[in-house]
Amino acid sequence: MTDQDKVNSLFELADVLSHQRDYDEILRLITQKVLALFNSETASIVLVNPNTQHTVKTIVRDGGSINKQQQQLLQTNIVGWVNKNRKSFLSANIQADDRFRKGLFQNCDVQSAMSASLVFQSVMIGFIVLLDNRNNQFKINDVALFEKFALICA
């Protein structure tokens, strides 16, 4: 998929979401599109209460073989990092990522991870997390597009 195709895909998503009223269908469309756009094995949307920052709902779509316990461990830590640092997350090799305690992810099959916050009217309402078993699956140039994707979804 070319960069122009990816940008066009964002516009298509914005158009589809603007006509959708069914909450569950909106979440399904978002996860389906993000998996395809970034060729990821697993996508999660974590919605939080803006007042307490506690998780309200988590939606997971998988196209891969990532262990559910590993996925939850990764998701919790990555979301916590994004929330604390107020910036997007990218790791080409999550097992060796020094932003986390050494050995925390040593038994995880996941290699690459990317996450961005969902912000609506300057309030963080959730996060999108992508996980993949392939090393270096997500690149630095993917982050800008991923942030725009999250902006449209919020």
Side-chain angles (χ1 to χ4, degrees):
M1 184 179 285
T2 67
D3 288 344
Q4 187 60 47
D5 290 338
K6 290 179 180 181
V7 169
N8 288 341
S9 184
L10 289 181
F11 287 126
E12 290 170 15
L13 177 64
D15 181 49
V16 169
L17 293 178
S18 72
H19 294 94
Q20 188 57 247
R21 287 191 168 87
D22 182 346
Y23 181 72
D24 289 328
E25 180 64 8
I26 288 170
L27 296 174
R28 187 193 69 77
L29 290 168
I30 290 170
T31 54
Q32 178 183 28
K33 182 62 82 172
V34 77
L35 284 171
L37 193 59
F38 293 97
N39 192 26
S40 178
E41 287 189 305
T42 301
S44 302
I45 299 174
V46 179
L47 300 176
V48 297
N49 179 324
N51 297 323
T52 65
Q53 292 299 298
H54 292 128
T55 301
V56 175
K57 186 171 189 170
T58 301
I59 296 84
V60 177
R61 293 284 185 258
D62 356 52
S65 58
I66 296 171
N67 176 291
K68 300 300 178 203
Q69 291 175 328
Q70 292 176 3
Q71 180 180 340
Q72 183 151 6
L73 174 68
L74 285 158
Q75 179 179 285
T76 299
N77 282 276
I78 292 168
V79 163
W81 188 93
V82 172
N83 191 29
K84 178 182 176 186
N85 293 281
R86 301 289 186 204
K87 61 182 181 179
S88 296
F89 177 86
L90 173 68
S91 182
N93 184 354
I94 193 73
Q95 294 173 2
D97 198 305
D98 62 4
R99 291 172 281 191
F100 302 102
R101 181 175 43 84
K102 186 176 180 175
L104 180 63
F105 305 129
Q106 72 181 12
N107 295 324
C108 290
D109 296 330
V110 172
Q111 297 292 317
S112 300
M114 187 164 55
S115 182
S117 57
L118 297 169
V119 178
F120 180 72
Q121 296 180 347
S122 300
V123 176
M124 193 174 304
I125 61 168
F127 308 88
I128 299 179
V129 180
L130 298 181
L131 303 173
D132 202 281
N133 286 341
R134 294 165 286 188
N135 201 9
N136 292 311
Q137 175 61 16
F138 310 119
K139 309 285 189 238
I140 192 72
N141 58 342
D142 289 333
V143 174
L145 183 66
F146 189 56
E147 288 172 340
K148 293 191 179 26
F149 183 91
L151 180 67
I152 288 169
C153 294

